[in-house]
Structures are given as structure tokens and as C-alpha cells.
Amino acid sequence: MELKEKMLASFMAFEEKIDTHSELHELRSNAIKNFENKGFPTKKEEAWKYTSLNSILKNDFSVFPKKENTIEFKDVKKYFLHEIDTYKVVFIDGIFSSFLSSTTHEGLDVCLMSSALTKPKYKMIVDTYFNQIANKEDSLTSLNTAFSLEGAYVNIPKSKVVEKPIEIIYFSTGNEAALMTQPRNLIIVGENAHVQIVERHQSLNSNPVLTNSVTEVFAQKRAIVDYYKVQNDVQTANLVDNTYIAQKQESRVSVHTFSFGGNITRNNLNFYHQGERIDSTLKGITIIGDKQHVDHYTLVHHATPNCESHQNYKTILHDSSTGVFNGKIFVEKEAQKTDAFQQNNNILIGDKATINAKPQLEIFADDVKCSHGCTIGQLDESAMFYMQQRGIPKKEAKALLMYAFTSEVTNSIKIPELKAKIARLIANKLGVNMGFDL
């Protein structure tokens, strides 16, 4: 049975576990119909021109874990920001782990999507926010919506400054021969509130995993959201990450994406402006090798005047790896005084690495400042020679140049402990042993 047919059959089994009389069921039913019509995306679609899922879809993925699995904290401690205290929402094979989690009732609501979707006290919030900005025409987003049940629900009240970062971590144990999970996150940040969130998907052995994740983020007036995605999975793990962000007046949202591992990774990052004087920041670092593939697809939709967006993605490709950057800036006629910047720099190490870069600007306003730049090249031989002449071995000189190449992104990380962790991850990826277990 092909995976598409298995997903459609699994939805009927899924319906037996949920309330089919709720309004949410109609939404799920419409979503699975859209997936049935469109199926998994192929390279025939312009947005997926450079990324094929065919090799992944051959696996016989389990949709529902056969049993609830447990993990000892000592075995996964290195994946957390254990140097500081954080709120933790942890899932094992798609199932919430109360043992590894550490949530709070200190004036903010950090709980489970399963609670938000089923408990009456959350109905008004779910009706207002759930699936409101997610792309209802996207087949993989629709598939996630159809099976939406578990994930992180975060609601930060007005004027609340969250003192500790929130970690959202999804572990895959590998106890299934192959597993597909579909986490759904809903994050609402109230007026004048401030929150820092770190998200990670991590497999614990080499069995194939496909994660189809959807996150909706709503930043209200003057809210500040710093979101960090750490992608350093094993090479049999596959991730499609769909993130949709709606910003109200004077809000500031930044998303940093660090892609260091996995087999095929596709990041769809979409920003929608719904007020004036908004600031959006999208930054990323990709360092991969072997035959790994990372695809960044970004959209910033400027629909209102006097807003800014800043994109800066750095990519280092080794061996036969492939990178994709497709960044789109869309400026509506009403969005005068827009200031939008996009930069994509790529270094290819070796002759077999490939980068596909496609910056896009669609501008319908006449009083804007929009720019984009893209560079593709190899390391500066003169800089290498200069460093070697001063006694730095070639390997270390090469790593230092690449490390400096990424610093423009890492310097903007606002959590010191995370900044140090990312720095060590980058050093390890570049072949410099700093003596840390990451």
C-alpha cells in the first residue's frame, strides 16, 4: 500500500478515537479531502522543484505508535539546554511525556494541544486561532490538520515577560521500524508579552522517521517572540516543518533555524503582517555533508505600511549534499514605506555539492526599500594562504574561515547558553574538536 492510501485509511481509524460531532471534525474532514486530491508534493510543483520526497515515501511508516515508550533523562540530557532552567514540553513518539516535561501555572498557559482541542474552556481560543493562518491549500499542512491532536499549546497573557525559555522537544525512540509523526503547535503571545522558544526534533536511533510538523504563531501588538529551531538529527530522519506567523502592530518576531543533520529537511517559514511598524527577522545556518538535503522556503507578506523584514541565511555544503533557498518577499500596494532585506550566502566545499538559490521579490508599492543578494562560491584561497603563513594548519584555517562565515547569524542569538551550544555544534560540524558531547 502506498503511503498516501495508508494515510487515508488511517484517517478512518483516527476518526474512531475522536469526537466526530465537533466543529473541529468538519475542519479535519475538509483537510483530508484536500490531501486526497493533491497527495504528497512532487517536483512538478514550482515550490518543490528542487526537493523530492520519493525516497522517503517508499518506507512503510507506522502512523500510530504501538505502545507508549519511556526515556531516561540521563540518556537525552544533552539535547536540552541543561545549563539553565527552562519550561519543557516533551513528546516521545508523538505522545506527551510528563516525566521529562516541566510546565508551569505561573501566569502563563503551557499545556497540550490535545487539551486545547478537547476541553470546553479552550473552545473560544481554538475557534479564534487554530488553523487560521495555516495554508489550507498546502497538502502536507492539510494532512497535519486532519490528524492534529497532540503538540504544544502556549498562551502568553498580556504584558507577561516569560522569565525562562520554553523548550519544545519531540523524541523518536526508533522502537517502530519506521514512524511518521504529525505534531501541531499553537502559540499565542499577548500584547506587550515576551517569550523565547527553542524547538527540536530528535531521533534516538537509525530507524526511518518522517515528521510533518505545523506551528502557528500569533504575535499580538508590541509582542516580542524569539523562536529557535535546532535541527541536528540522525541521517535517517526526515522533517517537513511548516511554520506560520501572524504579527500585529509593532510586534517583533525573529526565527533562527539551524540545520545540521537529518536526511531530507524542508523548512516552510511564512510571515504575515497585520499591522504597522512590524519587524520580522528570519535567519538560518545550514551545514551538511554526505547526501543530506536541506530546503529553506520562506515568505514574508508585507500587507501594511512602515514595516521591516530581514532575512539572512548562510549555507556550507560538503560532499554530495544539496541546499535550497527559495526566499519570497511580497509587498502589497498598501504596504508603503516597506524596508525588506534578503541575503543568502553559500559556500561549496568540493565539486559535488549543489546549491539551488531562488530569491523572489514581488512589489506592488512604489515607496519601498527592498533588496536581495545571493553569493555562491568556495573558500577564499588568499585568506587560507595568509593564515597558513602565520602558522595556522590548513584544517584549522579552513574551519576558522567557515566559523567566521556563520558568526553574523550566531551573534544574534539572545539566549547565551543556546548561543554557546550552537557554536559548539558548528565547530563539531566543521571538524574542530572542542571536547563537548553534543
Side-chain angles (χ1 to χ4, degrees):
M1 182 185 296
E2 291 188 359
L3 187 58
K4 177 184 175 181
E5 282 65 40
K6 185 172 185 177
M7 298 308 300
L8 297 175
S10 298
F11 181 72
M12 291 187 285
F14 179 69
E15 285 185 302
E16 297 177 2
K17 304 177 182 180
I18 59 176
D19 181 6
T20 57
H21 300 289
S22 67
E23 296 176 12
L24 187 59
H25 182 253
E26 182 179 354
L27 187 150
R28 286 192 176 111
S29 297
N30 291 334
I32 198 68
K33 288 176 184 176
N34 184 59
F35 172 75
E36 183 177 12
N37 291 334
K38 296 186 174 182
F40 288 97
T42 69
K43 296 181 74 171
K44 293 180 180 179
E45 301 175 36
E46 184 64 26
W48 288 80
K49 183 178 180 180
Y50 303 111
T51 299
S52 172
L53 299 179
N54 289 342
S55 61
I56 303 173
L57 303 182
K58 294 177 182 178
N59 291 290
D60 185 20
F61 289 108
S62 298
V63 181
F64 310 112
K66 295 182 176 65
K67 63 178 182 178
E68 185 172 344
N69 296 299
T70 58
I71 300 173
E72 293 294 328
F73 178 72
K74 62 181 176 62
D75 297 326
V76 294
K77 178 182 177 181
K78 63 182 179 179
Y79 301 118
F80 292 89
L81 284 178
H82 53 80
E83 300 89 348
I84 58 172
D85 192 18
T86 62
Y87 301 119
K88 301 175 183 64
V89 188
V90 182
F91 302 87
I92 302 174
D93 292 338
I95 300 172
F96 176 67
S97 170
S98 58
F99 175 71
L100 293 179
S101 298
S102 175
T103 56
T104 177
H105 300 287
E106 299 173 6
L108 48 139
D109 202 349
V110 180
C111 69
L112 307 181
M113 278 301 296
S114 55
S115 297
L117 294 175
T118 56
K119 293 185 178 180
K121 72 174 185 176
Y122 294 106
K123 185 179 187 306
M124 183 178 296
I125 296 175
V126 169
D127 290 346
T128 302
Y129 294 104
F130 182 76
N131 207 47
Q132 294 304 303
I133 53 172
N135 185 355
K136 298 175 182 60
E137 297 303 315
D138 180 77
S139 63
L140 289 177
T141 299
S142 294
L143 181 61
N144 178 284
T145 299
F147 286 90
S148 57
L149 182 61
E150 198 57 285
Y153 169 85
V154 178
N155 190 353
I156 311 300
K158 181 178 180 179
S159 301
K160 177 70 176 179
V161 177
V162 184
E163 296 180 356
K164 301 186 293 187
I166 298 172
E167 291 189 272
I168 304 171
I169 302 185
Y170 293 90
F171 289 113
S172 298
T173 62
N175 291 340
E176 307 284 338
L179 180 66
M180 181 176 184
T181 62
Q182 305 203 67
R184 183 66 171 244
N185 304 314
L186 178 59
I187 298 165
I188 305 157
V189 185
E191 290 185 25
N192 301 305
H194 182 190
V195 66
Q196 297 174 319
I197 298 173
V198 181
E199 177 187 327
R200 184 163 187 163
H201 300 266
Q202 187 66 49
S203 298
L204 301 178
N205 78 3
S206 60
N207 283 352
V209 173
L210 172 57
T211 301
N212 177 35
S213 176
V214 173
T215 299
E216 292 179 285
V217 180
F218 295 85
Q220 307 298 355
K221 293 180 182 179
R222 296 175 297 279
I224 301 175
V225 182
D226 297 315
Y227 208 114
Y228 303 94
K229 296 176 179 287
V230 182
Q231 301 167 348
N232 189 37
D233 217 336
V234 299
Q235 291 198 28
T236 50
N238 306 280
L239 171 66
V240 179
D241 187 297
N242 299 281
T243 301
Y244 302 93
I245 299 170
Q247 292 184 248
K248 296 292 187 181
Q249 177 182 337
E250 299 180 28
S251 62
R252 303 182 66 179
V253 177
S254 67
V255 177
H256 290 66
T257 305
F258 303 102
S259 301
F260 303 138
N263 176 33
I264 293 178
T265 302
R266 166 72 177 225
N267 291 299
N268 298 319
L269 182 55
N270 306 272
F271 279 73
Y272 303 100
H273 289 185
Q274 300 175 351
E276 294 193 37
R277 295 179 294 280
I278 287 169
D279 190 293
S280 303
T281 299
L282 303 76
K283 294 188 177 185
I285 297 174
T286 298
I287 306 175
I288 53 175
D290 296 324
K291 295 182 179 181
Q292 293 175 287
H293 181 101
V294 173
D295 183 345
H296 294 287
Y297 190 96
T298 69
L299 166 67
V300 181
H301 190 155
H302 287 269
T304 49
N306 303 302
C307 295
E308 298 184 16
S309 66
H310 310 273
Q311 300 186 55
N312 192 355
Y313 282 77
K314 306 280 190 178
T315 301
I316 300 174
L317 302 174
H318 295 82
D319 307 320
S320 299
S321 60
T322 304
V324 182
F325 177 77
N326 190 333
K328 184 174 182 179
I329 297 172
F330 190 95
V331 183
E332 298 275 12
K333 183 178 180 180
E334 296 78 15
Q336 303 294 342
K337 304 292 184 182
T338 289
D339 184 353
F341 170 79
Q342 181 188 96
Q343 184 69 33
N344 172 227
N345 302 111
N346 307 277
I347 293 179
L348 307 183
I349 308 297
D351 298 328
K352 295 183 179 180
T354 304
I355 181 69
N356 298 286
K358 186 182 177 184
Q360 294 177 272
L361 300 179
E362 292 190 30
I363 304 170
F364 297 95
D366 53 20
D367 185 7
V368 302
K369 185 169 69 172
C370 296
S371 62
H372 67 82
C374 177
T375 62
I376 301 172
Q378 297 181 327
L379 289 175
D380 188 337
E381 291 296 333
S382 60
M384 287 279 292
F385 178 78
Y386 179 87
M387 296 173 74
Q388 288 178 265
Q389 288 296 304
R390 277 145 185 82
I392 302 175
K394 184 177 180 179
K395 180 180 178 181
E396 282 71 18
K398 185 177 179 181
L400 282 171
L401 285 175
M402 289 189 286
Y403 190 88
F405 172 74
T406 66
S407 63
E408 193 174 357
V409 174
T410 57
N411 286 342
S412 62
I413 300 174
K414 296 179 182 178
I415 304 173
E417 294 79 9
L418 178 62
K419 185 176 181 179
K421 191 177 188 72
I422 295 299
R424 297 194 298 268
L425 280 171
I426 291 173
N428 278 5
K429 290 295 291 185
L430 297 179
V432 179
N433 184 7
M434 297 182 68
F436 293 97
D437 182 12
L438 296 169

